[in-house]
């Protein structure tokens, strides 16, 4: 509205949500960075090519001319959003709210942008954000809610509030620069609530409970999600899966892009998928935080007989081109 007020005849939830969005937009107008500053042609992009600025300490970024609030955006807000939005909120919403559809829509305004609330509180504490009176009050209230409650559904005469989880288990994301994490617990629920509900997750992938037990080949083959199938196979173990699924080794070769690792190409029985296909087993080029390297399978056309050609096919290369690869990540 031109004067910042909302019509009283609007339903409560619409007025409530619009007020939150308006306040958030005013705060973002002061805090959102100019993306061009970090781009290859921007100030830092020219001084530090190939995103070299990403690993610099804040003191050097300040000396290079980066505004403090932009440094905090990259080092605080974005890692928080990545850790909470993609790696926690999405899994919880898919598990608990999908079946109630539009009735959960207002939930997008409760704890959905908790990372933004924390970021703006940090900026204000550091003296980098000026809030007008009502925005400061709203920010304080959202911060109190974030610290004391889980999802909540406000109404005009009543409010439904849920408790926060009693346990959240995570692991560092591979290649994380600023402490980004993802859900992971190989022993029990990755997120658990006091009533015993929660979600299971392995390496950031939400999985059903059967994956956490001893997955069977039939369960794995019946699973539609490629990510869940991969997690279940890793849980069972590739050697056990290959034996139980009766995969036949076609050929093996050293991996030129991953020194010391071997590529193994297997024929997959057509009864598994209803058509002929093969899978090449590779070792991840990057180590996990514990120093190990995960193995994973790549489905390839049944007509490929060479492991190098199989992996090259996944990159859009032929076998001879992949054979010249110096390093695969």
């Amino acid at each position: 509205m031109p004067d910042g007020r909302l019509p009283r005849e609007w339903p409560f939830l619409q007025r409530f949500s619009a007020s939150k969005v308006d306040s958030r937009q005013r705060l973002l107008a002061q805090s959102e960075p100019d993306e061009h500053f970090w781009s290859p042609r921007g100030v830092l992009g020219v001084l530090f090519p190939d995103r070299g600025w990403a690993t610099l300490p804040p003191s050097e970024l300040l000396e290079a001319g980066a505004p403090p609030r932009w440094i905090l955006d990259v080092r605080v807000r974005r890692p928080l959003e990545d850790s909470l939005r993609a790696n926690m909120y999405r899994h919880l919403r898919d598990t608990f709210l999908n079946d109630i559809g539009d009735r959960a829509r207002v939930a997008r305004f409760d704890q959905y942008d908790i990372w933004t609330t924390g970021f703006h509180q940090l900026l204000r504490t550091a003296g980098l954000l000026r809030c007008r009176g009502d925005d400061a009050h709203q920010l304080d209230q959202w911060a109190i809610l974030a610290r004391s409650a889980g999802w909540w559904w406000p109404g005009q005469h009543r409010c439904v509030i849920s408790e926060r989880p009693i346990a959240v288990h995570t692991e560092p994301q591979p290649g994380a620069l600023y402490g980004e994490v993802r859900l992971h617990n190989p022993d029990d629920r990755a997120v658990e609530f006091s009533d015993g509900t929660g979600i299971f997750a392995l390496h950031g992938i939400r999985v059903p409970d059967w994956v956490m037990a001893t997955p069977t080949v039939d369960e794995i083959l019946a699973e539609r999600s490629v990510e869940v199938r991969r997690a279940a196979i890793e849980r069972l173990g590739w050697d056990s899966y290959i034996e139980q699924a009766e995969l036949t080794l076609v050929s093996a070769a050293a991996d030129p892009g991953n020194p010391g690792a071997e590529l193994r190409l297997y024929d997959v029985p057509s009864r598994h998928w209803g058509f002929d296909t093969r899978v090449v087993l590779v070792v991840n080029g990057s180590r996990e935080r514990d120093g190990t390297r995960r193995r994973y399978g790549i489905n390839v056309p049944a007509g490929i007989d060479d492991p190098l050609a199989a992996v090259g096919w996944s990159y859009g290369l032929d076998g001879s081109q992949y054979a010249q690869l110096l390093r695969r990540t």
Side-chain angles (χ1 to χ4, degrees):
M1 300 299 292
D3 60 358
R5 291 177 298 177
L6 300 173
R8 294 294 300 176
E9 63 270 16
W10 278 25
F12 169 78
L13 289 180
Q14 278 70 17
R15 286 188 286 116
F16 176 84
S17 299
S19 175
K20 165 79 185 309
V21 171
D22 287 346
S23 177
R24 184 172 183 270
Q25 291 300 323
R26 286 191 294 270
L27 296 177
L28 286 175
Q30 296 186 58
S31 60
E32 280 194 317
D34 181 358
E35 293 294 337
H36 179 69
F37 190 85
W38 308 98
S39 71
R41 295 185 180 182
V43 176
L44 288 185
V46 173
L47 290 175
F48 308 103
D50 300 323
R51 285 178 54 87
W53 54 264
T55 57
L56 292 179
S59 59
E60 292 190 30
L61 291 174
L62 287 170
E63 291 177 2
R69 66 175 181 274
W70 294 358
I71 297 174
L72 291 174
D73 179 83
V74 171
R75 296 294 182 95
V76 177
R77 187 189 67 81
R78 297 189 190 196
L80 278 175
E81 181 175 359
D82 185 32
S83 299
L84 294 172
R85 182 179 187 177
N87 289 286
M88 183 171 174
Y89 173 86
R90 177 171 58 86
H91 293 316
L92 289 172
R93 186 177 180 89
D94 289 347
T95 300
F96 296 113
L97 297 182
N98 267 356
D99 60 340
I100 57 177
D102 288 347
R103 286 179 292 168
R105 186 171 296 174
V106 71
R108 71 185 186 272
F109 291 118
D110 51 26
Q111 305 292 30
Y112 176 73
D113 57 354
I114 189 174
W115 48 88
T116 302
T117 299
F119 175 61
H120 285 148
Q121 282 284 68
L122 174 61
L123 291 181
R124 188 170 64 161
T125 301
L128 300 173
L129 181 68
R130 295 181 179 179
C131 300
R132 72 185 202 185
D134 52 346
D135 287 336
H137 176 72
Q138 277 208 36
L139 185 57
D140 287 339
Q141 299 307 306
W142 286 106
I144 291 172
L145 279 166
R147 289 191 294 264
S148 57
W151 280 335
W152 65 294
W153 289 261
Q156 188 163 4
H157 301 293
R158 61 182 62 87
C159 181
V160 177
I161 302 176
S162 65
E163 294 182 352
R164 300 171 68 182
I166 60 173
V168 177
H169 301 271
T170 64
E171 67 173 3
Q173 294 185 32
L177 293 176
Y178 310 125
E180 296 92 332
V181 297
R182 62 187 182 184
L183 292 178
H184 176 68
N185 187 0
D187 302 316
D188 206 334
R189 290 178 174 85
V191 179
E192 184 177 359
F193 293 90
S194 59
D195 64 354
T197 59
I199 60 176
F200 297 101
L202 296 172
H203 304 297
I205 305 301
R206 180 171 60 95
V207 298
D209 55 1
W210 62 264
V211 173
M212 302 300 295
T214 302
T216 66
V217 170
D218 289 340
E219 289 173 325
I220 292 171
L221 295 176
E223 175 57 49
R224 298 180 61 181
S225 168
V226 174
E227 292 182 330
V228 172
R229 283 204 306 268
R230 182 180 301 161
I233 292 173
E234 290 182 354
R235 185 77 172 175
L236 178 62
W238 270 102
D239 293 336
S240 296
Y241 176 75
I242 289 169
E243 179 182 357
Q244 295 178 30
E246 301 178 342
L247 306 188
T248 305
L249 181 65
V250 176
S251 181
D255 188 349
N258 193 3
E262 186 179 47
L263 303 173
R264 299 177 67 85
L265 180 64
Y266 291 90
D267 192 49
V268 180
S270 59
R271 67 177 183 275
H272 285 348
W273 304 113
F275 57 88
D276 293 331
T277 186
R278 285 179 174 169
V279 61
V280 59
L281 185 61
V282 304
V283 179
N284 198 350
S286 302
R287 293 185 182 275
E288 298 297 309
R289 290 281 178 156
D290 61 4
T292 61
R293 289 181 176 176
R294 297 171 64 189
R295 293 193 294 174
Y296 60 94
I298 303 173
N299 289 325
V300 299
I304 297 179
D305 297 319
D306 177 23
L308 297 180
V311 179
W313 176 85
S314 70
Y315 287 101
L317 307 173
D318 59 34
S320 61
Q321 291 172 323
Y322 182 77
Q324 301 175 39
L325 189 67
L326 295 178
R327 187 67 183 170
R328 172 174 58 79
T329 57

